[in-house]
Amino acid sequence: MLKEHIKGDVTFMYATLKGVQQEFVFSGAMKSFHARKQQLEKLKQMLHQHEQEFLRAVNKDLNKQEAEAFMMELGTVHAEITHALESLEEWMEPVNVKTPVTHTGSKSYLVNEPYGSVLIIAPWNYPIQLTFSPLVGALAAGNSAVIKPSELTPHTSSAIAAAVRATFAQEIVAVVEGDAKTSEALLKQGFDYIFFTGSVAVGKIVMKHAAEHLTPHTLELGGKSPVIVAEDAKLDLAAKRIAWGKFTNAGQTCIAPDYVMVHESVYKDFLKKLKKHTYNLFSQRTKEGTFTQIVNDKHFDRLAAFLNDGEIVLGGQSSKEDRLIAPTLLTDVDWDAPIMQDEIFGPILPVFPFKSATEVLVRVRSLPNPLALYVFSEEEQTQKLYTEQLSFGGGCINDTIMHVANPYLPFGGKGPSGIGAYHGYESFRTFSHQKGMLKQTTAFDMPLRYKSGKVMNKIIRS
Ligand code: NAD
């Protein structure tokens, strides 16, 4: 019936879709724990049932290999669903809060309610994870959702559309495939919540649309995430963890290390170890052609130009035909070089020596707030110095990117790297409007509020 409804021009179609979803949510159909649990279980089952199609699709789009694709795409969504299923009943409980003496006779509590029909706009770099992880939160909070996958990973986009259509009624989850034009047409509809993951430039466009309708929104953006290696760091382990975090998915990870600053006293030693681990972890895959591809020619050309921005100490090989760039380490990079102007988002890693902590603080602060920051040091004082004096979305001490996979940690940026956060309970909160409620007694009526302000003010001041 719905399919007949949504024939016609796209504006009418999207408006109808949103309307049908809102009607469904506001009918109370998603109010109970059991209704939400059922949808989350459906999602889990869908991921299992269509696993092979998803893995084939990300392989075609990005040359992602099965083991990595499962861990980084499907595995993280499974973990989010499992965590939500275990915790949802508790999250949904109203929370009692304190009530001041001025309100004697009443009690206060918080109630979470769904926003309604949520629009999820996804990027291409982890096209499955970044479509379905937000969906877990949206469903857990009792919303319906319209998903717009990235057009730059077309096989994954159509695999997502097919799986969702085979699993969910459109009033619960629907997929609209398309490019920027489609995305903008959807944004014009004034959904009840917008969840956007993507670039800073498009984030600003999304925020303008949200302003037009005063739509609450989350922006999960990017940025230049620094790694700081202090002189007392365990260099070999640091190098291994940095190489893995950077070159997984060919550096096309929003929280991938963007550049490394190493204390000058250990710079040479660290560089040697970084070369060794990068080579050990990825050279075989580069030779076999199983290293993740660059998503398209435009990004390939942008990245290939960065290879001229410093001295190549490892890698540097590239093939435009296969859209492959070998994991590359660059030294002697000028801070004003093009590679240092924007998020790299590819398998090229500039490494800089530093003399003092002040130099690191000044450098990192001169760039927009990053999405992540990583500090390698054995000293608590040094760890605190960088993590407390610098501003960033989230991060790790003595590791890279692992914080993203902990559902107990909120994940999001700050300002230019994002607004809002999700994962685990934070996803439930993000996709719920929290009502503050006061329940007053009718057994008696405190006369205070009707008296002159003087008496009331005296109580408040006491
Ligand atoms: P993008 O901003 O180009 O595209 C993201 C989505 O927005 C796509 O679905 C696209 O169709 C849509 N879009 C593009 N132009 C639009 C427009 N004018 N109006 C409305 N929608 C539009 O980003 P991308 O290239 O797909 O992804 C890479 C970026 O995403 C990087 O900057 C990366 O750091 C960031 N990212 C952030 C996170 C995070 O969790 N914070 C995760 C992954 C990627």
Side-chain angles (χ1 to χ4, degrees):
M1 188 176 89
L2 188 62
K3 282 200 179 107
E4 283 158 28
H5 263 293
I6 61 173
K7 274 183 192 156
D9 73 275
V10 289
T11 309
F12 177 70
M13 186 167 106
Y14 300 157
T16 311
L17 188 53
K18 184 193 75 174
V20 173
Q21 290 204 342
Q22 286 172 327
E23 211 175 296
F24 178 75
V25 172
F26 299 135
S27 74
M30 290 285 279
K31 213 168 166 48
S32 72
F33 164 66
H34 287 288
R36 297 179 192 190
K37 180 171 171 251
Q38 197 185 19
Q39 299 310 325
L40 289 172
E41 279 168 349
K42 257 191 183 180
L43 180 60
K44 198 167 185 60
Q45 204 182 349
M46 184 197 85
L47 295 179
H48 281 306
Q49 239 168 20
H50 296 266
E51 187 174 304
Q52 285 313 309
E53 290 98 293
F54 286 140
L55 293 174
R56 264 199 302 274
V58 284
N59 183 268
K60 278 189 185 156
D61 284 331
L62 291 161
N63 200 33
K64 279 197 200 199
Q65 302 303 298
E66 191 171 319
E68 184 179 313
F70 183 83
M71 178 169 76
M72 309 294 267
E73 298 272 10
L74 294 158
T76 51
V77 186
H78 277 298
E80 275 286 315
I81 299 174
T82 304
H83 182 68
L85 284 171
E86 281 165 7
S87 320
L88 184 57
E89 209 163 6
E90 192 188 323
W91 293 345
M92 286 175 70
E93 283 293 313
V95 178
N96 290 327
V97 296
K98 286 183 183 172
T99 305
V101 66
T102 45
H103 296 58
T104 299
S106 57
K107 67 172 201 168
S108 308
Y109 57 97
L110 309 170
V111 181
N112 290 299
E113 67 168 23
Y115 278 102
S117 175
V118 163
L119 175 62
I120 296 171
I121 303 175
W124 53 262
N125 60 327
Y126 290 94
I128 298 171
Q129 184 207 136
L130 298 172
T131 300
F132 293 128
S133 276
L135 182 64
V136 174
L139 293 174
N143 300 278
S144 288
V146 172
I147 292 168
K148 210 299 281 169
S150 172
E151 71 281 15
L152 299 192
T153 36
H155 295 96
T156 315
S157 175
S158 50
I160 289 170
V164 167
R165 276 173 203 145
T167 311
F168 291 98
Q170 290 196 73
E171 53 264 44
I172 305 174
V173 188
V175 177
V176 175
E177 291 187 84
D179 57 12
K181 246 170 100 181
T182 306
S183 198
E184 292 220 47
L186 284 165
L187 285 164
K188 287 198 173 107
Q189 296 308 313
F191 278 80
D192 299 305
Y193 198 95
I194 301 166
F195 189 98
F196 170 79
T197 309
S199 62
V200 172
V202 179
K204 289 180 185 175
I205 296 171
V206 170
M207 204 162 168
K208 278 189 188 148
H209 284 286
E212 205 51 48
H213 299 273
L214 293 176
T215 306
H217 53 277
T218 298
L219 302 178
E220 292 284 340
L221 310 176
K224 291 187 88 59
S225 299
V227 184
I228 302 154
V229 181
E231 55 193 312
D232 66 317
K234 288 194 175 166
L235 293 185
D236 198 61
L237 197 56
K240 194 175 179 185
R241 290 176 179 174
I242 293 166
W244 178 78
K246 171 67 186 186
F247 296 111
T248 291
N249 208 32
Q252 300 170 117
T253 304
C254 56
I255 47 167
D258 190 271
Y259 60 100
V260 188
M261 294 185 80
V262 191
H263 192 271
E264 60 176 5
S265 63
V266 292
Y267 178 77
K268 275 197 180 144
D269 196 9
F270 171 78
L271 201 58
K272 223 161 63 190
K273 293 179 188 326
L274 187 61
K275 277 162 77 173
K276 176 188 79 180
H277 285 298
T278 305
Y279 185 85
N280 288 349
L281 287 168
F282 296 99
S283 66
Q284 190 59 26
R285 289 183 54 186
T286 317
K287 278 183 210 144
E288 287 168 3
T290 56
F291 191 58
T292 304
Q293 279 174 320
I294 306 307
V295 67
N296 61 16
D297 287 350
K298 189 175 141 209
H299 279 284
F300 179 91
D301 292 342
R302 180 182 65 80
L303 290 164
F306 291 159
L307 294 171
N308 302 317
D309 284 354
E311 191 188 330
I312 296 171
V313 293
L314 183 79
Q317 305 85 346
S318 64
S319 156
K320 184 155 181 172
E321 199 189 338
D322 301 320
R323 296 200 317 275
L324 284 171
I325 296 178
T328 299
L329 302 177
L330 282 190
T331 59
D332 299 298
V333 174
D334 196 303
W335 283 98
D336 295 325
I339 194 169
M340 292 311 292
Q341 304 313 304
D342 271 316
E343 180 185 17
I344 298 170
F345 220 57
I348 307 171
L349 184 61
V351 188
F352 300 88
F354 72 84
K355 282 186 177 26
S356 68
T358 310
E359 188 186 336
V360 175
L361 297 181
V362 169
R363 276 294 171 207
V364 175
R365 284 183 189 143
S366 72
L367 295 164
N369 267 336
L371 184 57
L373 182 137
Y374 307 110
V375 177
F376 286 83
S377 168
E378 292 301 299
E379 276 289 325
E380 203 177 325
Q381 229 180 337
T382 309
Q383 298 166 359
K384 278 192 169 171
L385 169 78
Y386 295 117
T387 55
E388 291 180 7
Q389 294 204 27
L390 289 168
S391 208
F392 54 95
C396 305
I397 292 167
N398 291 325
D399 210 339
T400 63
I401 80 173
M402 289 301 282
H403 62 301
V404 72
N406 180 351
Y408 296 95
L409 290 175
F411 179 78
K414 185 180 175 205
S417 53
I419 295 174
Y422 74 131
H423 288 183
Y425 176 65
E426 200 63 28
S427 283
F428 175 77
R429 279 291 297 115
T430 286
F431 287 104
S432 302
H433 166 67
Q434 197 163 63
K435 282 176 175 160
M437 293 299 303
L438 183 127
K439 187 171 178 181
Q440 183 63 277
T441 181
T442 53
F444 57 87
D445 191 25
M446 293 280 283
L448 267 181
R449 76 170 97 169
Y450 311 111
K451 299 241 169 180
S452 77
K454 271 189 191 162
V455 181
M456 195 66 164
N457 289 345
K458 208 170 157 190
I459 295 176
I460 293 169
R461 284 207 184 93
S462 66

